[in-house]
Amino acid sequence: MGKPGKSSAKTIFVCQQCGRESLKWLGRCPDCQQWNSFVETVVSTATPPRISTLEHPPQELSQVVTDAADRFPLPMAEFNRVLGGGLVSGSLALISGDPGIGKSTLLLQVSALIARDRGKVIYISGEETEHQIKLRAERLEVTGERLYLLAETDIEVILSQIEQLQPSLVVIDSIQTVYLPEIGATPGSITQVRECTLRLMHWAKLNSVPVFIAGHVTKDGAIAGPRVLEHIVDVVLYLEGEAFSAYRLLRCVKNRFGSTNEVGVFEMGERGLVEVDNPSQVFLSQRWGEAVGSSVVSTLEGSRPLLVEIQALTTPTSFGLPRRTANGVDFNRLLLVTAVLTKRVGLKLGNQDIIANVTGGLRIGEPAADLGIALSIASSFRDVRVDPQLVAVGEVGLSGELRAVSQLDRRVSEVARLGFKRCLVPKTGVRISAPKALELIPVSNLREAIGVGLVRGRASSKENKT
Ligand code: TYD
Ligand code: MG
């Protein structure tokens, strides 16, 4: 993308990163500081889609009618949970994720289920031919009555086709492949992505039909055609997972009709994505309770408690500065916990490399996992295992105190449900009673928690084994 020569009066230059417009070409965007991001674009002469017209004057809020049936549940419990109970008619939902993570697979599965339960669904692909989609469908054992396929990228053709079909759900795979011919920009550029999304949005609202669009993410993890897209759509979902793991998390980061933060857990199998309805069990399934440097925490993903294993390994630094590596836990929390362990508990970690790891590819951002991180580090450093029947919940403060965490009752009932015997909880704010067969151990600081949580004796000893 070099500097073009003369531009005609009808073109402008648009930054492909942030959408900033300029009359002349710029080497660097003054807004987002991206180099070489301006692309010459023909100004669209089409009138932008409008939702309100003169026939629709402003309405008083009390007079606006809502329909209880506006939201219909999907026959996929995990997906429903993420959407906050179901799909809202007329909503535009973006589902994005790395290439090959399973977006097309998930959307095809959802399409088939909706076609079965609610009527015609159209699946429009700009990436695969009908033949390729059929092959995938056979793999998923989708028969596909009332599921219509269309391999098309011209948004005007797409809109006229869906107008004719009047489906109950539209799927566009992916937004980066569709384009509006009257705009000079290439498909996937910010102008195309924005214009096409606006047109789909307009159609969805006018016809009260939900639309799903799949979107790619760029190298640095943002949705390509970047943030503008997230502003336009009603719902933004991310499908994420580790390349080496079959588990996929569907995460909601924006939802105009419900809560965000909810996650759904799926497993990629021979026949597509299968819902995982007991994720705690899955994340703990490979746990080997005797291991040193491993503890279990009860973390919240949205409103759902999840038990996950946190592992830590400490080794003497052989050269230079000690290194800290965080996989799945927040790097700054790891530094904080390490500092508190050094200063308040007296563990000499200053000459140790520390690696902390969340197993199963989950990422934990919340401070309630602090105590688990601390126990794992202390366990590895002292070469003593953590009580295998114990789960740790608590935020660590700078003076080594344990701080209360939100929704302790939910976390604790998940601990009891999975059959653990003991749960370390912060002393402050314990107002809950222990579920049956679970012992709640309130502790006020990190030193005390480590005294209770680590099993006495060397790692190899079998005493205290439960
Ligand atoms: P896909 O849905 O094409 O990903 P995206 O649309 O996000 O790029 O997923 C493709 C991957 O999923 C591919 O690596 C194969 C795998 N897969 C399965 O493991 N099982 C299946 O039943 C299907 C259809 C795909
Ligand atoms: Mg795909």
Side-chain angles (χ1 to χ4, degrees):
M1 159 193 347
K3 179 176 173 164
K6 261 200 330 215
S7 63
S8 81
K10 276 194 165 172
T11 66
I12 52 165
F13 294 86
V14 182
C15 169
Q16 298 301 301
Q17 186 72 23
C18 68
R20 160 131 188 175
E21 297 176 355
S22 159
L23 286 177
K24 59 183 195 339
W25 187 84
L26 299 173
R28 187 183 197 183
C29 176
D31 279 355
C32 68
Q33 315 299 328
Q34 182 78 16
W35 288 97
N36 236 350
S37 61
F38 278 84
V39 169
E40 189 173 16
T41 307
V42 180
V43 182
S44 167
T45 47
T47 44
R50 285 181 306 178
I51 292 177
S52 92
T53 58
L54 283 184
E55 293 92 74
H56 291 280
Q59 268 186 68
E60 201 180 308
L61 179 60
S62 59
Q63 303 301 313
V64 177
V65 278
T66 55
D67 192 350
D70 266 0
R71 188 191 288 262
F72 61 85
L74 298 179
M76 226 185 207
E78 290 293 299
F79 210 136
N80 260 337
R81 161 196 290 279
V82 178
L83 289 171
L87 209 50
V88 175
S89 27
S91 67
L92 187 63
L94 170 71
I95 168 165
S96 64
D98 292 333
I101 199 81
K103 299 179 293 295
S104 305
T105 307
L106 184 61
L107 287 175
L108 190 60
Q109 286 178 280
V110 170
S111 304
L113 289 172
I114 301 271
R116 186 193 69 193
D117 293 353
R118 298 190 62 90
K120 287 184 275 187
V121 172
I122 184 159
Y123 184 99
I124 298 144
S125 179
E127 302 189 333
E128 293 159 307
T129 59
E130 286 98 342
H131 181 71
Q132 282 174 300
I133 302 171
K134 174 76 183 170
L135 288 179
R136 188 200 300 267
E138 277 170 3
R139 197 168 161 187
L140 301 174
E141 294 179 21
V142 163
T143 53
E145 273 138 41
R146 304 198 287 185
L147 174 57
Y148 293 79
L149 304 179
L150 177 68
E152 179 57 64
T153 51
D154 183 332
I155 192 78
E156 285 181 339
V157 177
I158 291 174
L159 286 174
S160 65
Q161 293 284 4
I162 54 183
E163 192 67 47
Q164 261 177 31
L165 193 70
Q166 288 297 326
S168 58
L169 175 73
V170 177
V171 175
I172 308 277
D173 188 7
S174 66
I175 191 67
Q176 277 89 12
T177 55
V178 293
Y179 71 103
L180 188 67
E182 64 201 67
I183 307 178
T186 47
S189 65
I190 195 164
T191 326
Q192 285 290 8
V193 164
R194 184 171 53 196
E195 288 300 317
C196 293
T197 310
L198 280 173
R199 274 171 174 70
L200 288 166
M201 181 74 153
H202 181 57
W203 186 87
K205 296 278 178 273
L206 218 66
N207 293 275
S208 292
V209 171
V211 176
F212 267 121
I213 56 184
H216 297 289
V217 292
T218 56
K219 286 195 293 294
D220 38 336
I223 298 168
R227 290 233 110 60
V228 273
L229 202 52
E230 291 195 25
H231 292 299
I232 303 174
V233 301
D234 299 311
V235 179
V236 180
L237 306 173
Y238 274 88
L239 188 62
E240 27 176 77
E242 295 285 307
F244 314 105
S245 147
Y247 296 107
R248 301 282 182 267
L249 295 182
L250 186 64
R251 199 183 282 279
C252 179
V253 295
K254 168 179 176 180
N255 191 352
R256 286 192 178 141
F257 317 106
S259 93
T260 53
N261 298 325
E262 293 295 342
V263 293
V265 185
F266 296 88
E267 185 178 2
M268 181 65 98
E270 278 296 300
R271 290 181 45 201
L273 288 158
V274 184
E275 300 174 70
V276 174
D277 34 55
N278 195 353
S280 293
Q281 195 144 42
V282 165
F283 289 123
L284 295 179
S285 62
Q286 292 181 2
R287 184 162 172 265
W288 174 49
E290 296 298 300
V292 166
S294 149
S295 66
V296 177
V297 299
S298 183
T299 176
L300 274 187
E301 285 286 353
S303 60
R304 163 194 273 182
L306 275 182
L307 296 196
V308 282
E309 179 185 356
I310 294 187
Q311 294 184 325
L313 186 66
T314 61
T315 50
T317 307
S318 54
F319 177 73
L321 291 173
R323 290 170 47 139
R324 312 282 182 245
T325 311
N327 300 316
V329 296
D330 186 65
F331 186 68
N332 290 323
R333 305 277 348 151
L334 174 62
L335 294 187
L336 184 148
V337 168
T338 308
V340 174
L341 280 172
T342 308
K343 181 95 179 174
R344 310 286 177 208
V345 187
L347 301 186
K348 294 193 171 49
L349 298 169
N351 58 354
Q352 300 281 320
D353 287 345
I354 301 177
I355 306 171
N357 209 355
V358 176
T359 56
L362 204 75
R363 279 204 298 270
I364 307 178
E366 61 158 3
D370 288 355
L371 183 55
I373 301 174
L375 276 183
S376 294
I377 294 175
S379 158
S380 174
F381 183 69
R382 290 194 176 156
D383 202 15
V384 172
R385 68 195 158 89
V386 179
D387 177 355
Q389 286 300 326
L390 176 117
V391 175
V393 179
E395 176 181 346
V396 172
L398 288 185
S399 31
E401 82 278 19
L402 287 185
R403 302 175 152 254
V405 299
S406 61
Q407 308 197 42
L408 190 61
D409 46 345
R410 289 198 180 188
R411 300 177 196 260
V412 165
S413 49
E414 181 77 354
V415 174
R417 193 176 72 79
L418 276 124
F420 283 87
K421 302 224 165 60
R422 287 171 283 281
C423 186
L424 279 180
V425 293
K427 199 170 229 159
T428 47
V430 188
R431 275 179 218 96
I432 58 166
S433 50
K436 222 169 53 200
L438 180 74
E439 184 193 353
L440 281 189
I441 311 174
V443 275
S444 53
N445 61 51
L446 194 50
R447 184 187 283 271
E448 196 186 332
I450 289 174
V452 179
L454 297 192
V455 176
R456 255 161 278 286
R458 299 287 297 177
S460 49
S461 89
K462 289 281 182 276
E463 63 174 27
N464 253 329
K465 191 178 161 194
T466 33

